[in-house]
């Protein structure tokens, strides 16, 4: 069980700090929930059931700096395929967000950022990109001690010019 002050990655909000465990009514019973506060902005509070069985939202431990580096190195070398059918693409991307797998999230973020550099994304893809960036970049920032905006700028610059090294690799 998580404790107050622990940091976790929420599959849709990114890095969050556990503020408390609170009892909330669910149906006819009281159920314990983690009260999470988004990091670093602290403007968003979310509640996630302590019992995560079959939950739509996933909580997981933060990646280490080495794990972040490994994902970024893999990303620099991998090609990501664009799915042209928007319905199928949205379905796949929502599954990736819910699953919370950092490698898949990074590949999806790369794909969306590349497409956005080529031609501005439509509103649904842009919304997915912003969520994916929030999750991925907040974790990279936490693991490396950088701020969110610096991570975002570095990744965007690296996609424009792959010879530009990522400072956290």
């Amino acid at each position: 069980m998580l404790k107050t002050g622990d940091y976790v990655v929420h599959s849709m909000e990114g890095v969050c700090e556990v503020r408390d465990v609170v009892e909330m009514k669910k149906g006819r019973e009281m159920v314990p929930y983690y009260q999470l506060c988004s990091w670093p902005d602290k403007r968003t509070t979310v509640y996630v059931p302590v019992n995560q069985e079959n939950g739509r939202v996933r909580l997981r431990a933060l990646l280490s700096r080495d794990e972040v580096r490994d994902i970024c190195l893999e990303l620099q070398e991998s090609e990501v395929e664009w799915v042209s059918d928007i319905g199928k693409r949205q379905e796949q991307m929502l599954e990736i967000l819910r699953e919370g797998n950092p490698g898949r999230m990074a590949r999806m973020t790369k794909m969306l950022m590349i497409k956005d550099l080529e031609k501005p994304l439509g509103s649904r893809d842009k919304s997915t990109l912003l969520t994916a960036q929030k999750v991925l970049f907040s974790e990279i920032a936490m693991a490396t001690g950088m701020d969110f905006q610096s991570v975002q700028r570095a990744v965007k610059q690296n996609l424009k010019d792959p010879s530009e090294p990522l400072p956290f690799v």
Side-chain angles (χ1 to χ4, degrees), residues 42-61:
K42 302 198 185 307
R43 288 181 284 184
T44 303
T45 300
V46 292
Y47 296 87
V48 177
V50 169
N51 179 354
Q52 284 285 291
E53 291 178 20
N54 300 321
R56 290 177 39 158
V57 172
R58 300 270 191 257
L59 297 180
R60 64 172 173 76

Side-chain angles (χ1 to χ4, degrees), residues 4 13 28 32 46 50 66 68 76 84 86 92 95 99 102 104-105 107 116-117 127 147 157-158 163 166:
T4 300
E13 293 296 330
R28 294 179 181 227
V46 292
V50 169
D66 288 341
V68 165
Q76 288 179 314
S84 57
I86 189 167
Q92 287 177 352
E95 175 58 32
E99 177 189 56
R104 290 186 73 201
M105 178 84 65
R107 287 188 291 280
D116 197 38
L117 288 170
S127 176
D147 65 85
Q157 183 59 38
N158 178 263
S163 68
L166 292 169

Side-chain angles (χ1 to χ4, degrees), residues 82 86 89-90 116 119-128:
W82 179 254
I86 189 167
R89 184 173 64 247
Q90 284 295 312
D116 197 38
K119 176 183 170 189
L121 294 171
S123 62
R124 289 170 55 185
D125 288 330
K126 187 68 169 184
S127 176
T128 303

Side-chain angles (χ1 to χ4, degrees), residues 36-134:
L36 305 174
C37 182
S38 65
W39 178 91
D41 67 14
K42 302 198 185 307
R43 288 181 284 184
T44 303
T45 300
V46 292
Y47 296 87
V48 177
V50 169
N51 179 354
Q52 284 285 291
E53 291 178 20
N54 300 321
R56 290 177 39 158
V57 172
R58 300 270 191 257
L59 297 180
R60 64 172 173 76
L62 290 164
L63 295 175
S64 70
R65 185 181 184 101
D66 288 341
E67 290 168 323
V68 165
R69 187 193 71 243
D70 292 345
I71 287 172
C72 292
L73 287 171
E74 176 189 324
L75 265 184
Q76 288 179 314
E77 297 170 6
S78 69
E79 292 297 318
V80 184
E81 187 176 327
W82 179 254
V83 177
S84 57
D85 180 304
I86 189 167
K88 188 174 181 180
R89 184 173 64 247
Q90 284 295 312
E91 186 179 310
Q92 287 177 352
M93 291 189 303
L94 183 58
E95 175 58 32
I96 290 169
L97 289 172
R98 285 186 180 147
E99 177 189 56
N101 177 291
R104 290 186 73 201
M105 178 84 65
R107 287 188 291 280
M108 180 181 74
T109 304
K110 177 182 179 179
M111 173 190 71
L112 288 167
M113 288 182 76
I114 288 169
K115 284 295 182 183
D116 197 38
L117 288 170
E118 293 171 0
K119 176 183 170 189
L121 294 171
S123 62
R124 289 170 55 185
D125 288 330
K126 187 68 169 184
S127 176
T128 303
L129 173 59
L130 293 174
T131 299
Q133 286 177 325
K134 177 172 57 172

Side-chain angles (χ1 to χ4, degrees), residues 22-33 49-51:
V22 297
E23 295 279 326
M24 298 174 71
K25 194 167 189 162
K26 184 175 184 181
R28 294 179 181 227
E29 62 182 306
M30 296 301 284
V31 177
Y33 282 77
V50 169
N51 179 354

